[in-house]
Amino acid sequence: KANKAAVTAVQKKANEANEEATKAAVVEAYNVSHRLPDFISEFNPITKPGTHLIQTMVTVAGRVQAIRGQGKPTMFYDIHGDDAKLQLVTSAKNYAAGVMASQKDYAAGVKAFNRINKMIKIGDMIGARGYAGKTKGGTLSLLALEFLDHHVVRACSPCKRWWSRRHCSGGGEV
């Protein structure tokens, strides 16, 4: 029993060190402007339901825990990180407008939107850039105009096995 306790203590210490390294890597890889808890504390009090703060571009990252669609043109992603949850709202129109700003091609933006949404799976680590806002129902969200380097994310950290809610909502999860 003493040996098992010693092994458990070593494993716990290694997991804590790994979590801190992962958090630092996420911030560096995506050039995150706000950690999820910081995003929530900054934008929840100042955002009204049904509005977006288009004067402030925000970048966040987290692990996908849920994916929902509302018809073909709109997708909702729940991302988790630092013991917080944020909803990403992305639509073909808004995503294409974000891509169009750099590529000047709306049709290419819609194709990119469809391609990326087919690639993202539960458990993947993703980054997104967009505007803070709230849905009409009052849920704090990020109106995602762009997913950040998702092709790199798929190569570096796709989810290889299904993540249960219990696993994703555990403490310290990024």
Side-chain angles (χ1 to χ4, degrees):
K1 289 184 181 183
N3 211 8
K4 184 177 180 180
V7 169
T8 303
V10 169
Q11 287 174 337
K12 184 177 179 182
K13 188 174 181 179
N15 287 340
E16 288 170 358
N18 189 29
E19 286 174 10
E20 291 304 314
T22 301
K23 288 178 187 178
V26 166
V27 170
E28 184 178 322
Y30 296 107
N31 198 15
V32 171
S33 65
H34 290 75
R35 291 176 40 247
L36 296 185
D38 299 336
F39 178 92
I40 293 165
S41 64
E42 181 176 340
F43 294 108
N44 200 31
I46 63 173
T47 310
K48 293 179 174 55
T51 64
H52 289 91
L53 304 175
I54 60 172
Q55 66 273 20
T56 307
M57 185 68 77
V58 179
T59 306
V60 297
R63 190 168 300 280
V64 177
Q65 185 173 348
I67 301 172
R68 298 177 304 285
Q70 183 176 348
K72 191 172 183 177
T74 305
M75 296 294 293
F76 297 90
Y77 296 92
D78 288 343
I79 62 170
H80 290 244
D82 296 322
D83 294 326
K85 176 184 117 175
L86 178 66
Q87 175 177 264
L88 302 180
V89 179
T90 184
S91 69
K93 182 176 96 174
N94 292 328
Y95 191 85
V99 171
M100 191 172 71
S102 62
Q103 295 181 0
K104 307 275 191 266
D105 186 357
Y106 186 81
V110 172
K111 286 181 184 176
F113 171 82
N114 292 330
R115 186 183 73 245
I116 287 174
N117 283 296
K118 287 179 185 173
M119 291 171 51
I120 297 173
K121 305 288 184 232
I122 291 175
D124 286 355
M125 183 71 74
I126 63 171
R129 181 178 299 126
Y131 302 118
K134 285 188 179 175
T135 63
K136 290 177 185 174
T139 303
L140 183 65
S141 304
L142 180 79
L143 176 62
L145 301 179
E146 179 181 13
F147 287 111
L148 305 175
D149 297 323
H150 192 264
H151 62 284
V152 175
V153 176
R154 293 298 295 175
C156 295
S157 63
C159 182
K160 296 292 186 185
R161 62 183 173 86
W162 186 78
W163 283 45
S164 68
R165 280 194 187 273
R166 186 175 57 90
H167 182 80
C168 284
S169 61
E173 177 269 327
V174 174

